Amino acid sequence: SYELTQPPSVSVSPGQTARITCSGDALPDQYGFWYQKKPGQAPVLVIYKNSERPSGIPERFSGSRSGTTVTLTISGVQAEDEADYYCQLPDNSGTLFGGGTKLTVL
Amino acid sequence: QVQLQESGPGLVKPSETLSLTCTVSGGSMNSYYWSWIRQPPGKGLEWIGYIYYSGTTTNYNPSLKSRVTMSVDTSNNQFSLKLSSVTAADTAVYYCARHIQGSGTWGMDVWGQGTTVTVSS
């Protein structure tokens, strides 16, 4: 098994772009997934298969992958985007979550 | 639209077995993998394990494998989690979720609201 590393926190002003990375010694051909988690609510899938966006997720959410790093980008951040964000990737034992990143909208 | 609802005791004594059920409504369990995930207070998400709708495949987090059992009852559109020999470290919000069709290691697109389980005497 391996670990997925995310920055503990990211801060941006409204309208700016937030980038949250997730890195680890993942198998290079595995898909990455991203969730938004607000206090008291269930996680919401915002990106699947590295860069696909589920229906109902705003276009400002996008994802990418380069090597063993997956990145969630939120363009034109809004106050409502303040939340914890978690990456998830398969590993040899099943699936694994990153430690989470708290996005603060200043 | 598929909805999930967790149910079970909110308080479990140390060394006993935690038992939770997830009821699936608004759709079929067929052809999907189903998982349990938990979040201890102030910590991140932890995947516990998944089960295929037929019950023929299960996969558990290695750190919990010796204590976890999952089962499925498609006639009642439910799947269940049993976690034995619990300690205070098992106190968490427990979620059930449905995986994107194709793999139990892929992302989860439908989640229950979560249920809080406290381990205490």
Side-chain angles (χ1 to χ4, degrees), chain A residues 33 35 37 42 86 88 93-95, chain B residues 39 59 95 105-108 112:
Chain A
F33 304 83
Y35 301 89
K37 176 73 170 68
Y86 292 88
Q88 178 222 331
S93 304
T95 194
Chain B
Q39 185 174 32
N59 194 14
Y95 297 97
T105 63
W106 287 356
M108 292 157 271

Side-chain angles (χ1 to χ4, degrees), chain A residues 30-31 33 35 37 40-45 48-49 84 86 88-99, chain B residues 35 37 39 43-47 50 59-62 95 99-101 104-109 111-114:
Chain A
Q30 294 295 327
Y31 288 126
F33 304 83
Y35 301 89
K37 176 73 170 68
Q41 298 182 21
V44 174
L45 182 69
Y48 67 99
K49 292 185 179 180
D84 294 328
Y86 292 88
Q88 178 222 331
L89 278 85
D91 73 352
N92 291 332
S93 304
T95 194
L96 186 63
F97 287 99
Chain B
S35 263
I37 303 94
Q39 185 174 32
K43 296 187 177 181
L45 300 173
E46 180 181 32
W47 170 73
Y50 68 67
N59 194 14
Y60 304 140
N61 187 321
Y95 297 97
H99 285 267
I100 292 170
Q101 204 160 18
T105 63
W106 287 356
M108 292 157 271
D109 61 347
W111 292 68
Q113 65 184 23

Side-chain angles (χ1 to χ4, degrees), chain A residues 21-68:
Chain A
T21 58
C22 172
S23 60
D25 296 328
L27 298 176
D29 59 349
Q30 294 295 327
Y31 288 126
F33 304 83
W34 287 95
Y35 301 89
Q36 178 190 68
K37 176 73 170 68
K38 294 182 178 179
Q41 298 182 21
V44 174
L45 182 69
V46 295
I47 293 291
Y48 67 99
K49 292 185 179 180
N50 295 334
S51 59
E52 300 295 320
R53 195 173 51 250
S55 61
I57 300 302
E59 291 184 6
R60 63 181 181 273
F61 288 87
S62 63
S64 62
R65 174 162 194 148
S66 177
T68 57

Side-chain angles (χ1 to χ4, degrees), chain A residues 6-20 36-39 61 72 74 76-86 100-106:
Chain A
Q6 297 182 233
S9 63
V10 169
S11 299
V12 296
S13 298
Q16 289 189 328
T17 296
R19 292 182 180 85
I20 300 173
Q36 178 190 68
K37 176 73 170 68
K38 294 182 178 179
F61 288 87
L72 172 68
I74 310 172
V77 167
Q78 300 183 5
E80 66 198 53
D81 299 331
E82 184 163 289
D84 294 328
Y85 290 85
Y86 292 88
T101 298
K102 181 174 181 58
L103 175 65
T104 300
V105 182
L106 301 171

Side-chain angles (χ1 to χ4, degrees), chain B residues 66-111:
Chain B
S66 63
R67 300 193 291 129
V68 172
T69 303
M70 294 178 63
S71 59
V72 63
D73 177 0
T74 52
S75 63
N76 287 309
N77 260 23
Q78 295 178 329
F79 63 104
S80 298
L81 168 70
K82 291 187 185 299
L83 181 65
S84 63
S85 305
V86 297
T87 70
D90 295 309
T91 293
V93 177
Y94 285 76
Y95 297 97
C96 58
R98 184 187 78 173
H99 285 267
I100 292 170
Q101 204 160 18
S103 173
T105 63
W106 287 356
M108 292 157 271
D109 61 347
V110 182
W111 292 68

